[in-house]
Amino acid sequence: MGGELRYEIGQNAYIKLVLHALKHKASAVNGVLLGRVSPTNDVVEITDSVPLFHSHIGLLPQLEISLILIEEYYAAKGVNIVGYFHANERFDDLELGGVAKNIGDHIARYFPQAAILLLDNKKLAALEKVKDRSPVMQLYAKDASKNWKLVGSDGGYLLITKEPSANVVLLDYISTEKWQDVVDFDDHLDDISKDWLNPELFK
């Protein structure tokens, strides 16, 4: 990819993903990141997210159906799939597994600057004590040899929340158990009246 590249995630996109993971604490969960590259080409702006699955997250048919629906809906708004979110089943598991890499690879074919965000449960658990403003996620991007590599603020890539108070708002939502209201594609496929766009989540 070359050069400095920042990933800036909007508050609602960020909170929706964390709440989805909290709703299904005993399962691995995933989601997609939506957005665009800034006009200056050095920031990937993540403006929204869609929670995907909390069971059988590696099943291809459901994944393909959901990605087609998401792409169709957001393309009309001038927004693309720009990355992938994953939360592992085990609290202490910070490994980026094969399923996450494969889905990330698929997205990167269409969007070369794609990122994978992996939930850091320990950082999330410490949030109330630490009052940290940085996202509770690890950022993975493709290196020169096209492998997924964990990147931090010391490298050329950086993940930041667009709104500095995002973690404060997140803690507020956690305390009111707002995670119960999140709808993912699993929920939608079980009951199509449940809207995967989560239009009521932040009202």
Side-chain angles (χ1 to χ4, degrees):
M1 277 188 290
E4 297 275 317
L5 191 61
R6 280 189 319 157
Y7 295 85
E8 184 181 84
I9 187 165
Q11 180 171 291
N12 287 0
Y14 170 67
I15 289 174
K16 199 189 299 180
L17 294 170
V18 179
L19 291 179
H20 180 223
L22 287 170
K23 183 174 182 180
H24 303 285
K25 278 184 180 173
S27 311
V29 304
N30 62 0
V32 289
L33 314 173
L34 294 132
R36 60 181 71 86
V37 180
S38 69
T40 53
N41 253 3
D42 60 349
V43 180
V44 176
E45 299 168 344
I46 302 164
T47 55
D48 205 350
S49 64
V50 176
L52 288 177
F53 304 107
H54 59 269
S55 63
H56 313 300
I57 65 170
L59 283 182
L60 215 53
Q62 285 96 316
L63 179 67
E64 285 177 344
I65 291 166
S66 62
L67 290 180
I68 289 166
L69 287 172
I70 292 164
E71 280 168 350
E72 281 178 359
Y73 179 84
Y74 282 95
K77 299 178 175 300
V79 175
N80 299 306
I81 294 176
V82 298
Y84 173 74
F85 168 79
H86 192 90
N88 285 323
E89 186 174 353
R90 285 199 345 265
F91 180 87
D92 59 349
D93 186 357
L94 282 175
E95 285 293 309
L96 190 67
V99 170
K101 288 177 184 173
N102 289 342
I103 297 173
D105 285 342
H106 176 75
I107 293 167
R109 264 187 236 130
Y110 303 95
F111 187 78
Q113 306 97 317
I116 296 178
L117 302 183
L118 181 68
L119 183 67
D120 187 332
N121 279 310
K122 290 181 178 169
K123 208 169 172 187
L124 176 59
L127 201 56
E128 208 161 346
K129 298 183 214 76
V130 186
K131 303 284 189 253
D132 191 349
R133 285 187 167 191
S134 63
V136 294
M137 298 169 185
Q138 294 182 351
L139 169 65
Y140 286 80
K142 290 239 178 189
D143 61 16
S145 56
K146 302 282 185 236
N147 293 315
W148 290 104
K149 181 173 176 282
L150 176 63
V151 288
S153 51
D154 54 334
Y157 306 100
L158 182 64
L159 174 67
I160 56 168
T161 48
K162 188 175 182 188
E163 295 86 355
S165 60
N167 280 340
V168 176
V169 178
L170 172 61
L171 283 171
D172 186 46
Y173 280 137
I174 291 170
S175 69
T176 58
E177 298 189 351
K178 187 76 173 166
W179 38 265
Q180 293 185 37
D181 300 334
V182 176
V183 173
D184 65 12
F185 256 92
D186 267 336
D187 300 324
H188 176 70
L189 292 172
D190 286 342
D191 178 357
I192 57 167
S193 70
K194 292 182 176 176
D195 192 343
W196 55 268
L197 287 165
N198 287 282
E200 304 297 314
L201 189 62
F202 297 110
K203 289 192 174 164

